[in-house]
Amino acid sequence: MTYPPPSAAGQAAPEPTSGALSDALAPPFGPPPSAPPSSAPPSSAQPPAEPTTLLGRVARRVRDYFLALDPTFLSAVAPLAVIAVILFTRAPSTNYIFDEQEALLANPYVNAKGGLRFIDAIHRDFWGLPPDRSVGSYRPLPNFLWRTVWAVTKQPFFHHFYNVLFHAANAALLTCVTFWLTRRRGLAYLAGLIFVGCAVLTEAVSGIVGIADVLGGLGAIAALAALALPAWAMPFGVFAAVLFGLFSKESALVCVPLIPFAALIAAPLTHPTRPARLVRSLLALLAAGAAFVLYVELRRRWFPAPMPAELATPLPEGTPLAKRALHDLLVWFHQAPLPRDPLNNPLSTADTPHRIAGALRVYWRGLTQVVFPWTLSGDYSYPQEPAPDRLVFFGSVAGAAMMALPPLGSLALWIAALRREHLERRERRSVRAAFLVDGGPATSRRWSLLLAGALLAGAAAALAAYDWHVLRPAGRVAPLRALPLVLWPLPFLPALLLGLGLLVEGGRPLPCPATADRSAWVPLRRGYAGLCLLAIGLTWVVVSYFPHSNIPVVLPTVRAERFWYFPAIGSSLVLAVAFSWLHEALAGSTLAPRRRWSWRAWLTPALFALFFGFQCAQAYRHAMDYRNDLDFWAATKKAVPNSAKAHLNYSVMKGARGDLPARLAESKIAVELAPTWPMAHVYTGDTLCRMHRADEAFPHYQRGMELGPNELSLIALALQCLHDEQRLAAHEAELRQLAEEHPGTWLAYLAVDTLDNGAKHGGVDPKYRPRGYNEGPKE
């Protein structure tokens, strides 16, 4: 698909008179083209002299690359890909780290175990598990990609590297979207640079599991890009992009409100002569909503996960209508039950007010990481982010403020933009001579489009009404009757969307400068584009983070930096405009030539260089944590010293390399941090057992099994090591007592079975033994 080209797309622009950095930070607006350009002869404009030094020529070429030509996807992706590769690429010798082992090594779908076909990704969750064993992550597109590449290579580096390239593609597409909205080359590249170097996104880009976030972000940015299409094509582009994002990661559901909001705000920028903001916003809403409904219905059929217990229970009589409607919506959405592990999310055990207070604190800390990523970590589990003991404290207040103020600020910015639009239209009427007047061919209606649009929209509405009032009551047209009620409008929707789009494109256009290319002209640049971009970005940050906030629903994880991939799209727009406006406030217009050096002109470029340099340095440092699993957990426990999981995983890495004393020391730290965590106790015992100190290990085994009597893998691990050390019989009485105290549990079954049949099985029955570290899925 193609987009409206700028007036000089691919053509060299007149040479700016200011410095490269100053021009790159020019404000996203300038004087409106209220008068035709000067008719001075070409000979009066002298081209700037070619630099004489090598450094000057290189600087000139670089500056021309970014500022003399309008950015395209290909021209933007090349430098951004170089930056992404430098910042986020892991060492070629890297191995599978943390969740990557479950996502790829232990994924039965990726490994084609159990006769799973390629198409069966639609019937498996993100980890390759069937619906009845899922933890709630349904993302078939990443699984399709993984299995395709897995057939070529199983080397971890390659499965990580395409994350980096997709991230660069997202940054390039965001650059193009920013340019289509503002027509400012420097500002467009500014947004792309901020996004590609955003350090808080390192986990999503450098971690293999982050492909879901990156592909979901691609769908979201592509939906934004689709807003530049003609009205008859835009809803189909939005539909395809949102559907792609949803099947990549369920977080893309935020596009349903955000894309129509962006269409409402940006219509005068993407389509200055025919804005029709309300109709375009309605088209985007219908398209995004249709994609969401189709995704949910397909997921319900392809992936019939069990209903969460709180939704399976009918509501009592007298339940308020709003609560009943929300319950019915959640029942229809049919999200698979999410695990609740207090270690990974301490907020899961808190009451609602304290959960919200803790969630707002996490939001505030993540928001500060976007701007100032001093500390980055791959894990924030208990007790690094505990549930708060009070409701009002700095983090909760700051988080609440930053949750409420940006949407209100967006509304205020939009109102200010509308006021400027009104003033500009008055100015346009006062200088009518500079614009095309009524009667010209470019200002007349396109009757063929209007007629076709009216026929299509009318036919779609008439057929829908006829089916609803005549055919369905009579039991005719079986395919339509077989559709659920929420899917019933879909067969009529394409014609309706196409018809409405044609009506928009066939209407009378607004006047624009007589000498301008109307397909590229962006009016109202004096403040309007910057205000609109800020309004979109501020709302985008809050709305796109909200599903991950632990406020509407309790998630399996309390905090993860990959959750910020979607919000970073909006924050990049906000920061780019903020730097641009700061530069204008300090240095004035960058369009006027300067005859002498001014520190004000270079202060904002210097600040941006410091900001971007710090982001890149932190991103590179954090990406280097992914060199291997030992370095990853060493860096994690240093960044979040209160995370029991970080210390325990580091102990396992040390143990895998034969350093059992270090493993024992780190395991004991994990026990001290999380004294009720079964895994910490069992792994501490396992370390002692492997050091041939089985009798010292048994109290730790016993405590861990008591805390987790249904932790199959942990119980099997403990029993197997006791058998290998020939100390199982010595603790038979204690084990049988544990079995009696926990009837109907895995502890009761495995303890007795191993004591009775250990000699025959060589310990624990092999089908119950845990999968070893860096092993593939069990048959």
Side-chain angles (χ1 to χ4, degrees):
M1 60 186 177
T2 58
Y3 302 97
S7 58
Q11 303 295 325
E15 184 65 27
T17 56
S18 57
L21 284 175
S22 298
D23 188 77
L25 289 167
F29 46 83
S34 56
S38 171
S39 58
S43 58
S44 62
Q46 297 296 328
E50 183 72 17
T52 57
T53 65
L54 176 62
L55 183 61
R57 288 195 296 270
V58 171
R60 173 72 175 275
R61 297 293 184 271
V62 172
R63 178 170 173 268
D64 287 349
Y65 184 91
F66 292 103
L67 301 178
L69 297 175
D70 293 341
T72 64
F73 178 80
L74 291 180
S75 67
V77 77
L80 295 174
V82 171
I83 295 173
V85 168
I86 293 174
L87 296 183
F88 299 108
T89 303
R90 287 157 61 164
S93 59
T94 185
N95 57 1
Y96 291 106
I97 298 170
F98 195 22
D99 288 343
E100 298 171 359
Q101 296 186 10
E102 295 295 326
L104 287 171
L105 287 178
N107 190 321
Y109 168 77
V110 173
N111 288 271
K113 298 294 183 180
L116 290 173
R117 303 165 299 164
F118 184 81
I119 192 61
D120 286 336
I122 63 175
H123 304 303
R124 294 281 168 148
D125 75 353
F126 189 51
W127 314 98
L129 301 176
D132 58 342
R133 294 172 52 201
S134 173
V135 295
S137 301
Y138 182 68
R139 305 160 189 173
L141 288 183
N143 265 319
F144 280 130
L145 179 60
W146 280 342
R147 180 151 171 177
T148 301
V149 182
W150 195 258
V152 179
T153 177
K154 297 177 175 60
Q155 220 285 336
F157 174 81
F158 293 100
H159 288 276
H160 137 76
F161 190 66
Y162 49 73
N163 267 25
V164 178
L165 300 182
F166 277 121
H167 178 59
N170 286 346
L173 192 55
L174 185 63
T175 300
C176 294
V177 170
T178 307
F179 177 73
W180 295 333
L181 293 177
T182 65
R183 301 296 169 182
R184 301 296 304 198
R185 299 163 184 165
L187 178 65
Y189 277 111
L190 207 61
L193 285 172
I194 292 172
F195 183 75
V196 80
C198 186
V200 79
L201 305 183
T202 305
E203 180 186 4
V205 182
S206 292
I208 295 175
V209 177
I211 187 64
D213 300 271
V214 175
L215 290 181
L218 176 60
I221 302 174
L224 277 177
L227 298 180
L229 292 169
W232 57 266
M234 179 266 287
F236 301 98
V238 169
F239 175 85
V242 173
L243 196 64
F244 178 90
L246 285 168
F247 278 110
S248 298
K249 190 172 183 181
E250 54 277 2
S251 306
L253 62 88
V254 301
C255 293
V256 177
L258 284 175
I259 298 303
F261 174 76
L264 179 69
I265 299 293
L269 299 175
T270 55
H271 303 279
T273 58
R274 290 181 174 88
R277 53 164 57 93
L278 292 178
V279 180
R280 292 184 192 273
S281 181
L282 175 63
L283 291 174
L285 178 62
L286 291 174
F292 177 67
V293 169
L294 182 61
Y295 159 78
V296 172
E297 287 295 326
L298 291 178
R299 191 197 63 194
R300 284 161 56 93
R301 284 158 176 74
W302 293 342
F303 193 73
M307 183 75 70
E310 61 271 18
L311 296 179
T313 305
L315 293 177
E317 292 293 335
T319 302
L321 181 61
K323 188 174 182 180
R324 187 176 296 277
L326 177 62
H327 180 270
D328 292 342
L329 177 63
L330 294 177
V331 169
W332 169 75
F333 186 66
H334 201 137
Q335 171 65 49
L338 299 175
R340 293 198 176 188
D341 182 1
L343 182 85
N344 289 319
N345 188 357
L347 301 180
S348 62
T349 59
D351 58 67
T352 300
H354 287 85
R355 187 189 83 231
I356 293 176
L360 292 173
R361 177 195 63 201
V362 170
Y363 171 64
W364 168 251
R365 291 177 177 175
L367 198 61
T368 58
Q369 277 185 315
V370 172
V371 181
F372 191 73
W374 184 257
T375 301
L376 297 171
S377 171
D379 174 72
Y380 291 93
S381 56
Y382 181 83
Q384 186 66 35
E385 287 286 355
D389 54 5
R390 62 185 190 277
L391 297 179
V392 180
F393 52 94
F394 176 78
S396 66
V397 173
M402 295 308 297
M403 191 74 75
L405 292 180
L408 294 176
S410 294
L411 179 61
L413 289 167
W414 188 42
I415 293 174
L418 290 177
R419 182 175 179 275
R420 296 195 181 201
E421 180 180 355
H422 175 68
L423 294 176
E424 174 117 350
R425 286 181 179 174
R426 288 178 55 188
E427 181 182 353
R428 215 183 296 175
R429 288 193 295 268
S430 66
V431 288
R432 173 74 68 174
F435 294 87
L436 292 177
V437 296
D438 295 343
T443 61
S444 62
R445 295 181 177 89
R446 291 182 275 191
W447 293 105
S448 59
L449 295 182
L450 289 174
L451 179 61
L455 289 175
L456 279 173
L463 287 175
Y466 183 71
D467 177 69
W468 183 261
H469 293 287
V470 178
L471 296 181
R472 287 180 70 89
R476 301 176 184 175
V477 191
L480 290 179
R481 286 189 290 108
L483 291 176
L485 186 60
V486 294
L487 289 179
W488 170 78
L490 289 186
F492 311 102
L493 196 57
L496 178 64
L497 295 177
L498 183 59
L500 291 176
L502 290 175
L503 288 174
V504 170
E505 295 300 327
R508 183 188 296 275
L510 296 176
C512 64
T515 57
D517 180 353
R518 286 175 298 276
S519 67
W521 177 57
V522 178
L524 312 162
R525 290 190 185 176
R526 183 171 296 176
Y528 191 88
L531 292 171
C532 290
L533 211 60
L534 270 181
I536 293 172
L538 288 172
T539 299
W540 189 285
V541 171
V542 175
V543 174
S544 62
Y545 180 81
F546 190 72
H548 292 128
S549 65
N550 277 292
I551 294 176
V553 64
V554 179
L555 300 178
T557 305
V558 65
R559 179 181 177 186
E561 289 164 4
R562 64 181 179 276
F563 291 169
W564 284 91
Y565 200 89
F566 277 77
I569 298 171
S571 66
S572 298
L573 300 177
V574 172
L575 289 171
V577 175
F579 275 111
S580 179
W581 282 4
L582 177 63
H583 182 64
E584 185 203 21
L586 290 176
S589 175
T590 58
L591 300 177
R594 293 184 178 85
R595 296 186 178 181
R596 59 182 181 179
W597 183 87
S598 171
W599 67 270
R600 292 179 177 271
W602 291 96
L603 180 58
T604 303
L607 290 176
F608 175 76
L610 290 174
F611 169 82
F612 186 66
F614 181 70
Q615 291 276 348
C616 290
Q618 292 300 93
Y620 179 81
R621 288 180 58 188
H622 193 30
M624 291 303 100
D625 296 340
Y626 288 80
R627 286 182 292 248
N628 56 63
D629 46 13
L630 180 63
D631 288 344
F632 176 81
W633 288 112
T636 302
K637 77 181 186 72
K638 181 179 179 181
V640 286
N642 290 328
S643 169
K645 182 188 289 186
H647 287 279
L648 193 64
N649 277 284
Y650 178 69
S651 76
V652 174
M653 303 305 110
K654 296 294 287 186
R657 290 160 174 81
D659 191 350
L660 293 178
R663 178 183 176 182
L664 180 61
E666 293 294 333
S667 297
K668 289 183 176 180
I669 295 176
V671 170
E672 293 173 1
L673 290 170
T676 61
W677 187 21
M679 184 178 289
H681 289 280
V682 172
Y683 275 33
T684 301
D686 191 65
T687 306
L688 290 167
C689 188
R690 293 174 185 272
M691 298 172 73
H692 309 294
R693 296 156 60 180
D695 291 332
E696 292 182 53
F698 186 78
H700 297 281
Y701 281 151
Q702 184 177 15
R703 179 58 176 160
M705 290 187 287
E706 288 174 341
L707 290 170
N710 278 309
E711 297 286 348
L712 173 61
S713 297
L714 296 179
I715 296 166
L717 181 69
L719 294 175
Q720 185 63 43
C721 190
L722 288 173
H723 176 273
D724 293 342
E725 293 294 316
Q726 300 180 356
R727 300 301 297 166
L728 190 64
H731 299 282
E732 180 175 357
E734 294 97 322
L735 290 171
R736 291 192 182 275
Q737 183 178 353
L738 284 172
E740 293 177 0
E741 293 172 354
H742 300 85
T745 64
W746 276 112
L747 172 57
Y749 174 79
L750 276 186
V752 174
D753 182 72
T754 307
L755 287 169
D756 294 342
N757 303 304
K760 179 175 65 175
H761 294 310
V764 178
D765 189 335
K767 65 182 178 182
Y768 297 125
R769 294 179 190 176
R771 181 177 59 86
Y773 184 70
N774 262 352
E775 286 185 0
K778 298 182 68 177
E779 296 290 349

